[in-house]
Amino acid sequence: MKKVLLGAIVMLLVGCYTPMNNSGVATTKPWIEIPGKRVDFDGKQYDSCVRLNLRFWPQEAAERLDLQESCITACCWRSEKDEIVLDFNAKFDEEMEKYGHARKYSPDKITFKVTHSNLVNVTKVKANPQKAVNNSGLVKLSYKEVRDEQRMAQLAKQREYRVRQIYQYDEDPLMQEAVVTPAQTQVRPAAKNPRPVTLTPPTTQPQTQAGETLVKSILQQRVGAKIDNYFYQMNKTYRQQGALFLLSSRILSAHMQEDGTYLVTCHAKARTGIDQNHLNPSDFQCGVWLVDLSTQTVLPYDKKAKQINE
């Protein structure tokens, strides 16, 4: 009986990635980290904090996850979460509604089951599907780009409407008189509840091709290098993961606002894949930027632009 038990212990140890890690706990894979543990009054471990040191291809898949709740940027106590689920398509419907297009990843979910053996002091994490993670901690996903042309057209019309929309005070003849009479020194206070109205015709000069060209030139001068660096870092990450990232030139779309400034949307077409025979078309956003021709300044307008501008 002792020989059988000894043989089982030896087999478990042989299957371990390393005899001990920083917390004195052995693990079965190099991407399993145990930053901390809990012990009782006798010094025996009864709980440990597990972190999955994972990388993703394509890297954009990680944007669908709460990396802290997924035990990737923070460790999770085994007693509180012995099963970790990465749901890569949880935000698919939300993105389709917001953008009109989104990626559909496969596998859609990866489940990690965490177990620990006090007998041999080994923590094991089993992935399902089993081949979803390689030995170095790289998660490779396949995907297809799903597009809803009707929704995209609808969103384009909404953006056009917003560009033509301004906010002004509640209609008030005295307020209007105050605005159009330069000699008047006293102006009534603004109404508390402004509401959006559409001006017809617009108060600004019509958008011209020359204006668009100048706006795009200013954007390129002010933040072109930051946008290029953003895509350079993305390409670097893909190469580190053994994948291809083939990027086209940046595409800029300028829309004049009622105050004469421009909102410029930046994106680029690309093809990504594990090799030349397995490339998928993608559209990468590089921010919405506010360009003021009068001051020749460029400011980040949305979350992506702020990220690039940091």
Side-chain angles (χ1 to χ4, degrees), residues 226 305-310:
K226 292 184 177 181
K306 291 176 182 178
Q307 174 190 346
I308 294 173
N309 195 57
E310 289 178 351

Side-chain angles (χ1 to χ4, degrees), residues 75 195 223 270:
C75 67
R195 65 169 179 261
V223 297

Side-chain angles (χ1 to χ4, degrees), residues 8-248:
I9 294 174
V10 170
M11 289 183 67
L12 281 171
L13 290 174
V14 169
C16 293
Y17 155 68
T18 176
M20 294 291 177
N21 64 13
N22 293 337
S23 295
V25 180
T27 59
T28 55
K29 296 291 183 182
W31 43 269
I32 305 173
E33 294 184 359
I34 313 294
K37 63 182 179 179
R38 292 168 175 164
V39 296
D40 58 22
F41 291 110
D42 296 327
K44 295 180 180 180
Q45 181 198 151
Y46 66 90
D47 200 1
S48 57
C49 204
V50 179
R51 188 179 85 86
L52 307 180
N53 187 15
L54 300 176
R55 297 173 293 116
F56 298 91
W57 186 92
Q59 60 177 342
E60 298 80 36
E63 296 178 5
R64 292 271 184 91
L65 305 174
D66 184 327
L67 297 179
Q68 183 170 343
E69 287 295 320
S70 301
C71 313
I72 294 172
T73 58
C75 67
C76 302
W77 290 103
R78 180 167 38 85
S79 61
E80 300 171 0
K81 184 179 291 188
D82 62 351
E83 185 173 273
I84 303 164
V85 180
L86 309 186
D87 190 344
F88 296 100
N89 291 324
K91 297 181 180 180
F92 174 79
D93 292 336
E94 178 184 333
E95 291 182 11
M96 287 295 293
E97 176 68 19
K98 186 175 181 180
Y99 305 112
H101 62 89
R103 288 181 176 183
K104 193 82 169 181
Y105 288 103
S106 180
D108 60 338
K109 292 182 181 180
I110 301 177
T111 302
F112 297 92
K113 185 68 176 178
V114 182
T115 57
H116 179 80
S117 172
N118 284 324
L119 180 63
V120 290
N121 193 28
V122 175
T123 294
K124 181 179 180 181
V125 177
K126 185 177 181 181
N128 183 27
Q130 292 185 2
K131 296 183 179 179
V133 188
N134 69 14
N135 197 54
S136 66
L138 177 62
V139 178
K140 279 195 174 184
L141 303 166
S142 61
Y143 67 90
K144 62 180 180 179
E145 193 83 20
V146 181
R147 301 173 67 88
D148 184 340
E149 299 296 341
Q150 184 176 357
R151 177 59 178 162
M152 291 175 69
Q154 183 184 35
L155 291 170
K157 289 182 179 180
Q158 291 177 1
R159 286 193 296 269
E160 183 179 353
Y161 174 77
R162 285 196 297 270
V163 168
R164 294 178 177 274
Q165 194 177 47
I166 66 168
Y167 285 86
Q168 72 175 26
Y169 300 123
D170 285 340
E171 294 178 359
D172 186 336
L174 294 177
M175 190 67 186
Q176 293 173 5
E177 183 181 354
V179 173
V180 299
T181 307
Q184 190 169 350
T185 57
Q186 292 185 352
V187 179
R188 291 179 58 188
K192 293 182 179 180
N193 299 314
R195 65 169 179 261
V197 297
T198 303
L199 292 183
T200 307
T203 59
T204 57
Q205 295 297 320
Q207 182 169 328
T208 63
Q209 185 174 358
E212 289 184 39
T213 302
L214 180 57
V215 164
K216 294 175 184 178
S217 176
I218 293 174
L219 177 70
Q220 185 63 36
Q221 292 172 12
R222 297 291 186 270
V223 297
K226 292 184 177 181
I227 294 174
D228 290 343
N229 183 64
Y230 169 72
F231 283 119
Y232 170 78
Q233 295 299 329
M234 186 178 293
N235 178 55
K236 183 178 179 180
T237 301
Y238 269 75
R239 285 191 285 108
Q240 288 174 344
Q241 296 173 354
L244 294 178
F245 179 80
L246 307 179
L247 185 71
S248 69

Side-chain angles (χ1 to χ4, degrees), residues 249-299:
S249 59
R250 262 59 79 204
I251 302 170
L252 303 176
S253 302
H255 299 281
M256 178 185 280
Q257 301 187 103
E258 291 295 338
D259 61 359
T261 60
Y262 284 78
L263 286 180
V264 183
T265 302
C266 173
H267 69 104
K269 300 290 185 181
R271 290 185 300 158
T272 60
I274 56 176
D275 55 47
Q276 289 282 357
N277 297 323
H278 299 85
L279 294 175
N280 297 295
S282 299
D283 192 303
F284 290 90
Q285 303 300 316
C286 40
V288 179
W289 305 83
L290 179 66
V291 182
D292 191 332
L293 280 178
S294 62
T295 60
Q296 300 210 350
T297 56
V298 178
L299 294 174

